[in-house]
Amino acid sequence: MRKTLLAAALAVLGTTVVAPSASAAPLQWGPCPVGAFPTPDLQCTTLKVPLDYRNPDGAKIDVAVSRLASKNPAKRRGVLLTNPGGPGGEGLTYPQVLKLVKLPQSVLDQYDVIGFDPRGVGHSTPVTCDLTTEQMMIGNLPYAQGPADVVKQAGVAKTEAKQCADAKTGPMLPYVTTANTARDMDRIRTALGESTVSYLGASYGTYLGAVYTSMFPERSDRFVLDSNLGPGGYDIDAMRNFGRGMEDRFPDFAAFAAAHPEYGLGTTPAQVTAKFHELAVRLDKAPVEGITGSLFRGLTFERMYASNLKQLAENWQALDQGRPPHAPETTIPPTDNLFAARFAVLCGDSAWPRSVASYQLDVAVDRIRYPLLGAASANIAACAFWPNPPIEPKVRITGHGPANVLMVQNERDPGTPLAGARKLRSAFGDRARMITIDQGGHGAYLFGSNQCGNTAVTEFLATGKRPARDVFCAAESH
């Protein structure tokens, strides 16, 4: 989950009868769908997959697939599947994005880089919850000041869950899960005529990759997981970990703002921290063009994903002066499909607490434990009222399989904190090595500037050489 905060013991292959991937006719490649992001180097196609893999001959859905083909047949190794994060995020154009941010030529030569919209998303039989603009404007989970705010949010969450179930794609929602998306990835592998796949996944894409290589270890080649969720994916622990991530990342911003007194936010990190709490209280009493204290907390959290903290300081300055902040040009407005697909995955992957009182307790605890954001990230969401329990147990991430996983992780990542990455690293055991980088923000490889980390990941993708042990990359000045 790269952008917006929302409420989202047996190995799955031992619990669900899954038909083997059938041989498929060659894919018919053509132009990609016209969208906001140009894709001059991509080809696209559509693959039919089972809605329910327990009934492989039943209803089918579409999965949209893209290809950035290697132009060096002599060096081509195979295919590199990719996922930019989510859940709910589109991935069809991601290979073009990776080329734009300078995915090294050594990697582009080695692989056909493959993107796809996960099931239920974008051009892959999209799901809907018929959410209104007002509902989507709530965006980040509201910061709960007390038990009454949790009760109020429970009403919102219950309505959202009912709308999802009652929408025209309601019957599809139980099957929009990470495990089924991993099965779709294996259908893509088969359709491409490959015996194995390599993988580059970020954020939620790390959990998707971990699930795939746990379900299909013998079909996994080189797997890179960037900005890692814990082994439980986006469960309640991951949601509450946003509060911890904010605490990890905030000192970077406090130090930046204190070093730039022209923003008027304080001349010491302590003063900047006090300004945060002051603004949150002030905006709750007198919002600036609809921006409340709760939305201010969410805006701050989202901007901390980026490595450039200047814009966040400018936003704070504007709000402190009673002006609305300037929205970045790269902001993509949320859509009903993004929310619906995210709800489906979060609620379909994990069983969530159903008791409002349990969320009230979590909010009270996390307001103290993580004072910047904890009372928002622990708040109740639609999964508490989801009509269908998960259709299968969660995939268990273990050390069974080839030693072919390389994790890369920023120390101070607000969205996927280091604490969760360490748990995934432990679950993988000797299957994985982890590169930890002394930098903040969400996204380490290519989107971060640390050459130690970037070089190690590129070397693994291009040559298969993986560090003999876990690596720490020191901060680099630029």
Side-chain angles (χ1 to χ4, degrees), residues 5 104 156 221 226 230 239 277 283 299 313 345 380 389 401 435 466:
L5 262 176
V156 173
D221 191 12
D226 177 358
M239 293 301 297
H277 293 291
L283 290 166
L299 178 150
V345 173
I380 194 167
I435 300 168
R466 197 181 66 156

Side-chain angles (χ1 to χ4, degrees), residues 107-442:
V107 178
L108 294 172
D109 287 342
Q110 289 267 321
Y111 303 98
D112 292 344
V113 184
I114 306 298
F116 66 101
D117 284 348
R119 59 169 50 207
V121 175
H123 296 91
S124 295
T125 312
V127 292
T128 179
C129 287
D130 294 329
L131 297 175
T132 65
T133 301
E134 289 72 23
Q135 285 173 310
M136 288 187 286
M137 284 292 290
I138 294 174
N140 295 316
L141 289 174
Y143 187 89
Q145 301 290 348
D149 285 345
V150 180
V151 173
K152 180 180 178 182
Q153 177 60 17
V156 173
K158 188 172 184 178
T159 297
E160 290 172 339
K162 186 175 188 306
Q163 284 179 218
C164 292
D166 292 346
K168 63 182 180 181
T169 57
M172 183 179 163
L173 293 176
Y175 309 102
V176 180
T177 64
T178 300
N180 277 337
T181 299
R183 295 179 179 115
D184 295 342
M185 289 168 58
D186 205 53
R187 289 295 179 105
I188 294 172
R189 176 197 61 78
T190 299
L192 292 170
E194 301 287 339
S195 59
T196 62
V197 294
S198 292
Y199 181 79
L200 173 60
S203 195
Y204 163 74
T206 62
Y207 181 60
L208 176 60
V211 167
Y212 180 90
T213 197
S214 296
M215 295 173 69
F216 306 105
E218 74 285 359
R219 300 171 194 169
S220 305
D221 191 12
R222 300 168 183 170
F223 268 55
V224 173
L225 309 181
D226 177 358
S227 307
N228 297 265
L229 281 169
Y234 264 119
D235 58 9
I236 189 170
D237 292 333
M239 293 301 297
R240 294 179 70 180
N241 241 6
F242 283 136
R244 178 169 185 161
M246 179 81 149
E247 300 289 334
D248 289 347
R249 176 65 164 145
F250 189 85
D252 289 342
F253 174 71
F256 172 83
H260 292 82
E262 65 270 21
Y263 294 114
L265 306 176
T267 56
T268 67
Q271 290 177 352
V272 176
T273 304
K275 174 62 73 173
F276 173 87
H277 293 291
E278 175 200 329
L279 275 172
V281 171
R282 190 198 317 168
L283 290 166
D284 270 332
K285 294 178 179 178
V288 173
E289 294 197 14
I291 297 179
T292 64
S294 180
L295 288 176
F296 163 71
R297 293 175 191 269
L299 178 150
T300 298
F301 176 76
E302 290 177 8
R303 298 295 186 268
M304 285 189 178
Y305 273 52
S307 57
N308 182 359
L309 299 176
K310 178 176 181 290
Q311 188 174 70
L312 178 57
E314 292 171 350
N315 288 344
W316 276 36
Q317 183 183 48
L319 289 167
D320 192 35
Q321 296 173 356
R323 299 179 287 109
H326 174 70
E329 294 180 1
T330 55
T331 295
I332 301 174
T335 64
D336 171 69
N337 176 236
L338 184 150
F339 279 90
R342 186 167 290 170
F343 283 148
V345 173
L346 267 61
C347 307
D349 279 2
S350 305
W352 292 70
R354 312 288 286 189
S355 166
V356 174
S358 72
Y359 292 94
Q360 290 174 319
L361 177 60
D362 289 348
V363 163
V365 169
D366 284 6
R367 183 185 300 108
I368 297 171
R369 184 168 57 167
Y370 307 130
L372 300 172
L373 194 71
S377 54
N379 207 349
I380 194 167
C383 293
F385 304 98
W386 208 244
N388 307 107
I391 60 175
E392 59 183 321
K394 188 175 292 188
V395 175
R396 186 178 173 208
I397 312 301
T398 72
H400 302 305
N404 62 347
V405 178
L406 181 62
M407 301 167 58
V408 58
Q409 178 72 34
N410 289 338
E411 267 197 309
R412 299 175 302 283
D413 184 325
T416 51
L418 179 60
R422 285 174 170 161
K423 290 180 180 178
L424 181 63
R425 170 69 183 86
S426 178
F428 269 129
D430 284 340
R431 285 202 69 187
R433 295 290 182 267
M434 186 162 82
I435 300 168
T436 304
I437 302 174
D438 182 4
Q439 68 183 3
H442 189 55

